[in-house]
Amino acid sequence: MIAKTAPDPRTRLDPRSLGRQPERVFYRRDTVTVARALLGAWLLRRFRGAWYGGRIVETEAYLGVQDRAAHSWGSRRTPRVEPMYADGGHLYVFLVYGMHSCANVVTRGPGRPEAVLLRAAEAPPGAPPRLLSGPAKLCEGLGITVGWSGVDLLSGGDVRLLARRGPRPRIAVSPRIGVGYAQEAASWPLRFYDRHSPSVSGPRRREPE
DNA sequence: CACATGATCGCCT
DNA sequence: GGCGATCATGTGG
């Protein structure tokens, strides 16, 4: 039984007509492709029968055993990281700095430990635009904790994802945030965000057109 | 805006 | 024993 943490009520929404759940193959594609495809998708959370969620606007790709920034780097395989080795479409949630949760969507197939970190989302209209701006704030706002790690997004449970419907956002690319220790991998261009979203994390966007 | 700091603890070596 | 895939707050320019 997963401990149910309450989402922020300001993220409440009606999920009907927002999109459809992608099939497993959507998640099994290469990780950069999935990281880009997730921009504009809705991450949903059900709590006591009501739905909450945000539209994903910022992601980072973590490329597994060859990526020093990834928890699965060098084939590290511990109980914490185990969900990264699951089939695409599972959730990998971990705790950072002893107090914040970060949520990832697992990509590729079983035994291929790659994932996409969800860094920011736009809350529904009316909510503060930066309510879910940051990987920990996104988890906090939607009530996602490490208890959800290993859950399958396709199992019809209380955490789900709806594929983007409509045009692709304008995507900007940069190195990943907070992985300075990862040597050469620290400069890889694996962070993707919606150029026009006011909900991207970090100090005020000022990326050139 | 740019930086610096503290909070807080699970995880890995 | 050391260190984070972070954030809010504080200072100074």
Side-chain angles (χ1 to χ4, degrees):
Chain A
M1 180 79 193
I2 298 169
K4 308 253 174 154
T5 314
D8 188 304
R10 292 171 291 184
T11 66
R12 187 153 183 185
L13 48 71
D14 180 353
R16 287 170 300 184
S17 85
L18 289 183
R20 316 164 61 127
Q21 295 197 85
E23 318 266 331
R24 184 77 62 192
V25 289
F26 173 90
Y27 300 103
R28 284 185 180 148
R29 294 176 295 171
D30 81 88
T31 304
V32 166
T33 298
V34 177
R36 300 176 72 105
L38 287 177
L39 297 177
W42 285 90
L43 180 64
L44 300 181
R45 163 89 157 88
R46 183 169 54 187
F47 181 72
R48 298 188 190 173
W51 286 95
Y52 303 80
R55 193 181 138 269
I56 297 166
V57 295
E58 180 182 354
T59 61
E60 283 178 356
Y62 284 83
L63 302 186
V65 302
Q66 40 148 5
D67 178 2
R68 265 188 133 89
H71 291 161
S72 53
W73 176 71
S75 297
R76 278 167 176 69
R77 189 163 190 164
T78 63
R80 178 181 68 150
V81 195
E82 189 60 27
M84 280 192 76
Y85 288 80
D87 202 351
H90 284 73
L91 224 43
Y92 167 50
V93 186
F94 65 92
L95 194 66
V96 262
Y97 301 107
M99 62 192 99
H100 297 303
S101 297
C102 295
N104 299 255
V105 172
V106 175
T107 59
R108 301 284 193 177
R112 192 88 187 262
E114 303 187 22
V116 174
L117 172 67
L118 305 180
R119 284 198 57 91
E122 271 177 23
R130 299 177 67 80
L131 184 64
L132 307 176
S133 297
K137 293 172 73 179
L138 185 155
C139 284
E140 174 74 24
L142 298 181
I144 296 174
T145 63
V146 292
W148 297 95
S149 197
V151 163
D152 185 359
L153 288 169
L154 297 185
S155 66
D158 291 343
V159 180
R160 302 185 195 184
L161 192 140
L162 304 179
R164 182 192 68 248
R165 170 183 289 189
R168 244 216 187 159
R170 296 289 297 191
I171 300 176
V173 183
S174 85
R176 293 170 292 184
I177 305 295
V179 297
Y181 57 86
Q183 302 178 10
E184 73 283 351
S187 64
W188 294 351
L190 296 177
R191 171 170 173 255
F192 307 93
Y193 58 93
D194 179 343
R195 210 184 262 293
H196 297 302
S197 173
S199 304
V200 171
S201 74
R204 289 256 194 239
R205 308 290 101 248
R206 191 177 326 246
E207 219 75 36
E209 156 78 15

